[in-house]
Each structure stands twice: as structure tokens, then as C-alpha cells.
Amino acid sequence: MEFAGEEELDSDDFDKNPEFYLLVPQLAALQQIVSLWELWLREGRVPRNYTPWRDLFSQLRIVRPWGPTDRVSPANREYFYDLADGAPDAQFFGLEIELVFRGSAEASLSIEREAHHLVETVGGRVVHQAYRPEFAYHAILAEVPAAEMRRIAALDPKSLAGADPIATITPQSIGTVIDVADEMNLDDSARPAPNRDQPIAAVFDAVPVQAHPLLINRLRIDDPDDLETSAVGSRVHGTAMASLVLHGDLNNPPSPLSRRIYFRPVMYAPAFGVERFDEGKLVIDVIFEAVVRMRSSDGAQVIIVNLSLGDTTKPFSGKISTWARALDYLAYTFGILFIVSAGNAAQAVVLDNFPDEPSFNAAPPATRAEATLAGIDAVKADRRLLAPADSINSLTIGAWHNDSSLEAFRGATPFQPFVGVEMPNFSSRLGPGLRRAIKPEALFAGGRERVRIEPTSTPVNLGPHPHPSRYWGLKVAAPSQDGTLGTHFTIGTSAAAALATHSGHRIFDALEEAYPELIEAMPLAERAVLLKSFLVHSASWRNSEAFIRTIVDPTSTLHHEHWRREVSRYLGFGFVDPDNVVACANDRATLWATGTLGAEESLTFDVHVPQSLADSASVREIRTTLAWFTPTRPGHLAYRAVKLKIDSLERSSMQLAGVNTSSDQPSNSQSESGTIVHRRWTSSQIGEAERGATIPIQIQREPDQGTPIDEAIPFGLVVTIEMPGEVQIYEDVLASVQVRPRVPIRAQS
């Protein structure tokens, strides 16, 4: 038998931690296994000399060949039915068919030939194919007639759904779209042009309006597929994302980047309809080739890639997506931080406690907010991340219900779903990620998305208002309308991810200005993981956990790990203020380190404790963030091959600094499930530190899962000591370090 993969299933009353193993034997062996299983079910025994099989069968519920129900999910069956409904039998539709992966080139070629024959037999044709053993991917893009689509949806064993070489059948990838509205003319604000030519950030998105005044001479376009020619419609998505990466929210003061942005079109705007991927290629293969090409051309120094994209047909279901596997491989291999949007859910939620709109309007705001969150929580399983946001090496960004608009909206509807508490946008998709890892890790401003009650709904159905505006939204560059290139507004996780990329570039600019020699000598992978740490480092829940807990744990009886896991589903590590990430302040000292850790190695960094912590009972905080890229093992439960961790502070260290552990953050076990660990200690006690005292921050590499990894793993560590109002914190810590920044520190007002 040849091992093909294993998968963790959802627990139930029979088994709290089930595992599903997929085996691909020869046909005769499979038939023999099924025969043994049927004998075991009938008579509770196996033949002589088969005792090990008896021991295995006693742990199993079912043994059967891989079949149509495994190849086509219930959601995709429904999608295929709807897509082919009423279509002529001969009308073609696109399908992505992932084949059973075989590591042998000869075996994979044989499977591919058989798959081609099967597609042609049902009257279809193969459009594109890809074999990427680097992340165990073998797939074909096929077009099949509507008649075959209906047979697949019906799980007909004589259709492609019953074909042995096929592992899964999914719809052709459909990219996410954004809502834009409220056109405005350009203002006359001067925005300095980039003064550096070598890009360190890239955007993979739809073809933008290159001639827009806010984009011209700021993008280095690489379009080998000539999607520019096909982009004859309104170029909304790529233009908006390029604007946000380059300038941030245009409602904010200018924050120019030092370099041009490498821009690779992977979508285009057709004459009619929304922007889309190239229908003739597998998008995963397009992304793979785009990264390889970028590294060998104008993007040789790129360490951040913005992917404000997602596949609306592939929400996370507990199993790592193929697109995420590709990003994980590319991140580790090329030392690139992918910043990915979590995705948006446009569906309304039902508020069972309100039979009609008048009853909802009459309720107190707090009651309405609680009902809204309860409605979302009831359907949280349907609002999971969109691929590739489940990538474990990437940084996934959700949308914070926040923006910089100062315009006051006087209308009664649409209205804000939550008032008086910081929350994600109503439509921002939820975590967790693979094996309950924190996803999305951080929330950046995604516009103050409003909601509305759907007409005549009983009980009340609450849905996101589809149109942003100057009253709620992020201001971005707009494509031409009536011959005018101006601005408009957008909302959502795509915009939030682009803001995160903008912030990452600003962090790099600040580091390069302060530590030019260190940054110049730093390997690309270490630069990338350092930015990954910095982007999460200021994240916190901002006291929102109390509100969310009233819904997810109304009786306050859940174990602390359980209720915090439910909170982190919404908030990740927390809300991030980009200005706080970049700005310096004299009551805050941030230290950073990069390097590599070999197998089971550890490093300890001694952090100076400012005297102010022992002289005052003011609130203080110590926070640490550790990030890394891990190699992966596709198909294995131990998919993440390398785990790093930050040791808990010893009680003596917390006493020195006057801090305690905090419950307003994810639990340690969940924080350590991904590739970024973010921990905070806070209190208002008087510390016990004597002058010159230090506390150790230890990071270590746990024993590798599975076969040990020989390579040293790059890490980025960021540590901050903060005490609002104590203006000597920065200078006190600065005196204790050997490597100092070249630029003077500008105090934050």
C-alpha cells in the first residue's frame, strides 16, 4: 500500500479526536481489505494470521473505497446543480479536478493520461494541467458539458465523480470582488514619488489603471500573460488595492513609500461582469509561476506579497486548501511574507428574537448588538476563511470596523451593527485556521461597514449594506468615469490586507533608515519574518472580549481556553493601529532580533527593566511577538513541520517588572498552533527591579514533528516595554543596548 494522506475530522460523541487515513493500494489489495472488513462486521473475526487487521478494525467505524461522496462535497454538489440548471446539455462549464497525487513521475503521468481520457469520454476537454510535487499538487482544468455536470452533482458512479484517478472535483476558482461607490475628484495633495527603485513589496491582483495620477510611475508592472489586453471593463479591484498599498487610506495624512511596487496582474476586468481569473489556467499554478518569475526578475528583493484575493468557491473546511499549501511552500522556500485577506461573507443572518423590523428598532442598542452577534455566531461554520487565507506561513488579515472618515451620516439606515465596542466588520470572515490555529491573526481597518434589515423578512434578516461611501469606507484611487480619474471608497478584508501591506512597507522603511547596515546584511527570509512579527506586535483585543463572551459563554462556565478560543475566532490576536506599529514614543521601548534556530535550539534575550517600573504603580505592559516560516508536510496531520515558542515569564521576572499574565488574549496553546506567537503581560503593580535588572525572554524550537528538519529556521522577535506617561522608558532601555538606531526618535504626540 502507498500512503496518500491523513486528515483530522470533526469530533463527535463517539470520538473526540478522530483521524482519517486515506490509503491508495492496488485494486486487489483494496478488494481484500474490504472483504476482511465485511467479515469483521458480520462475524467479529478475521482469518488466521490476520490478527493485526483485527486490532485495526476494532478502532474503525467504516472502511470503503474512495467514492463520489468523497470527491464532491455537498456544497459543491449544490453549486453544480445551480450552475447547470436549465442549461443545454452541450453547454460547457469549467471544473478543477485534483488528481490522486503520486510522487513518482511515471505514476503521475499514467494518472494524468487516464484523467485526460476520462474527460474526453464524457465529451469534455482538458484546458490546463499542473504537476507540482513541491506541495503535492496534481490537477487539471477541464471543461465538461452541462449533462456531465448534472451527473457529477448526482454522484453518478459512471460520471467523473466515480473515477478512480480523481481525488476531488471543485468549481473553477472565482475571485473575490470588492464594493466601491461614491466617486470624488482628486485633491491637490502632493505625494512624494518613490526615491528607491528596487521593490520590496508586490501586489498580485487585477489589472490596474496604470495611468492614474496616484499610480503612475509607482508600479513596476509585469504582465507576461498580457491580461492588459483583455482588461476592457472597469478596473476596480487592482486599482484600489494598488492605491491602498502605495498610499494607505487617502483620508489619512500622506505616508509615502520609498520604493515602487512590483505588480503582477492575475485577474482582469472583462467587458461585462466582475473581474476574474484567467479562465484558461489553474490559478494556483499561475501564482506559483508568478512568484518564481518575480524572484528571477524585477522582484528579486521582494519580501511582502499582497494577495487581497480569495476563492469564493473554496471556504476552509478543516483541511488545508491546495492554494494555501502552495503559499506555505513559496513562503518558506523564497522567504516571502504573503499578506492574505480573510474574505467577506455577504449573506444575511437571522435574528430569531425579533419577529419584525419595528421590534428590532424599539430594542435598546446593546440588545440589538447582542442579537446581531448571536445571529453571526449561529452561522459561524458558514463564514469560515476563503482559500488561501488558511495558509499557515502567511499573515491573514480581517477587517476592523474602523476608518478615518469624518463625514457624519444623518440617516437612520443603513446603521452600524455594533456601537461602543470595537469589532470586526459584519461580513469579515472568521477563524480558526488549520488545527485551531489563530486566523485571521490581525484586524486592520476595513471601513465602518453598515448593515440593513432585509425588507419583509420575518424574523428579522440582517445583511451587510453593499455600498461604501464617504461616510464609511477607505478612500482609494478610482478608474475612469466620464473620462475622469478620481477616487472612490471601499470596504472589506481586501482593503484591510492592502493596508497591512502598506504598514509592512513603512515598517521596513523605518528599520532601514534606523539600521542600514543590519538591514542590508539581513537575509530576505529574516526580513520577512521580522515584518511578520512587527505587523502583529501591537495587536490587542481592546476589551472587546467581554462583549463577545456574553454571547459565546453566556453563563460564564466555559473553561478559559474554550471561551478565549471562541473570542479569537472573531478577533485573532487583535486590532492593529498602523500608526502605533510605525511610530516611536518616549514612554515605550521596542527591541527586535532576527536569526535562525537549528533543531531543538533555544536563545535567550535579556531585556533591561526600566527603573520607572519600580518607581510607579502606573499601568505597564510587556509584549513579545515571535514569527517564523515552517517547512510543511502535505497530507500529514503534522503538516507544520517546525514549531517555535516563547517561554512563559518566570514568576520572579513578572515580580521584577510588576506584571501578570493576562486573559484578554488567546490561550498559550492556541497561540502556539500557527507560525506566530503573540503574548502580553500587564498590570499596575510596583515592580521589584533594582537598577540594572533584566528579565530573560527565551525562544526555543520544539522537537520537529515527523522526520527531523535539517535546515535552520528563520525567526523574527519583537519585544516592547510600555508605560503610558512615563517619558523615560525609551531612554532607559536604549542605554542598555549596544546596537542603536541612527535616526533620532521623534516622540509621538
Side-chain angles (χ1 to χ4, degrees), residues 468-743:
S469 77
R470 68 191 67 193
Y471 305 105
W472 58 84
L474 308 180
K475 191 175 181 181
V476 297
S480 178
Q481 185 175 18
D482 299 328
T484 302
L485 290 169
T487 62
H488 57 197
F489 294 83
T490 189
I491 53 177
T493 61
S494 289
L499 274 187
T501 301
H502 177 76
S503 298
H505 201 303
R506 291 179 63 200
I507 292 168
F508 183 85
D509 288 346
L511 289 170
E512 188 177 46
E513 183 182 7
Y515 305 96
E517 293 88 355
L518 290 180
I519 297 301
E520 183 178 2
M522 189 181 294
L524 296 182
E526 292 182 23
R527 294 182 186 182
V529 291
L530 180 60
L531 294 187
K532 186 177 179 181
S533 288
F534 265 111
L535 282 168
V536 174
H537 187 58
S538 68
S540 72
W541 285 352
R542 293 177 174 248
N543 301 316
S544 296
E545 74 281 358
F547 169 64
I548 297 175
R549 190 177 181 186
T550 62
I551 302 304
V552 301
D553 182 21
T555 59
S556 298
T557 55
L558 290 180
H559 187 272
H560 69 91
E561 289 218 8
H562 189 173
W563 74 257
R564 285 197 279 173
R565 184 167 67 240
E566 289 302 308
V567 170
S568 66
R569 180 193 297 273
Y570 290 88
L571 305 183
F573 289 114
F575 306 95
V576 176
D577 180 349
D579 289 333
N580 184 273
V581 173
V582 177
C584 293
N586 51 22
D587 59 0
R588 178 176 70 231
T590 297
L591 304 101
W592 59 269
T594 61
T596 59
L597 282 176
E600 300 188 46
E601 283 187 348
S602 66
L603 285 171
T604 300
F605 298 88
D606 291 320
V607 177
H608 172 72
V609 181
Q611 187 61 37
S612 300
L613 274 63
D615 295 339
S616 169
S618 298
V619 174
R620 78 286 311 276
E621 178 175 287
I622 298 175
R623 57 181 179 268
T624 61
T625 311
L626 173 67
W628 69 99
F629 292 146
T630 178
T632 57
R633 294 191 174 93
H636 292 255
L637 280 179
Y639 174 73
R640 180 192 63 171
V642 173
K643 173 185 177 180
L644 307 187
K645 65 178 292 187
I646 301 172
D647 274 356
S648 298
L649 291 183
E650 298 286 345
R651 172 54 56 183
S652 58
S653 295
M654 289 192 286
Q655 290 172 342
L656 284 176
V659 295
N660 283 319
T661 55
S662 175
S663 63
D664 58 344
Q665 61 182 326
S667 67
N668 292 350
S669 61
Q670 190 180 17
S671 177
E672 294 171 359
S673 296
T675 58
I676 189 161
V677 180
H678 179 61
R679 304 192 61 184
R680 299 167 52 246
W681 297 269
T682 185
S683 189
S684 56
Q685 305 172 32
I686 295 179
E688 301 176 2
E690 298 179 356
R691 191 168 300 279
T694 62
I695 57 175
I697 304 292
Q698 185 180 53
I699 62 173
Q700 64 185 57
R701 177 171 166 179
E702 298 284 273
D704 294 342
Q705 303 176 61
T707 305
I709 304 296
D710 294 332
E711 295 92 338
I713 299 300
F715 73 84
L717 175 69
V718 183
V719 180
T720 288
I721 298 177
E722 183 171 9
M723 196 173 187
E726 293 293 334
V727 298
Q728 296 303 313
I729 296 291
Y730 180 86
E731 291 296 336
D732 197 345
V733 174
L734 180 63
S736 70
V737 297
Q738 295 179 346
V739 181
R740 303 189 180 196
R742 280 192 170 188
V743 295

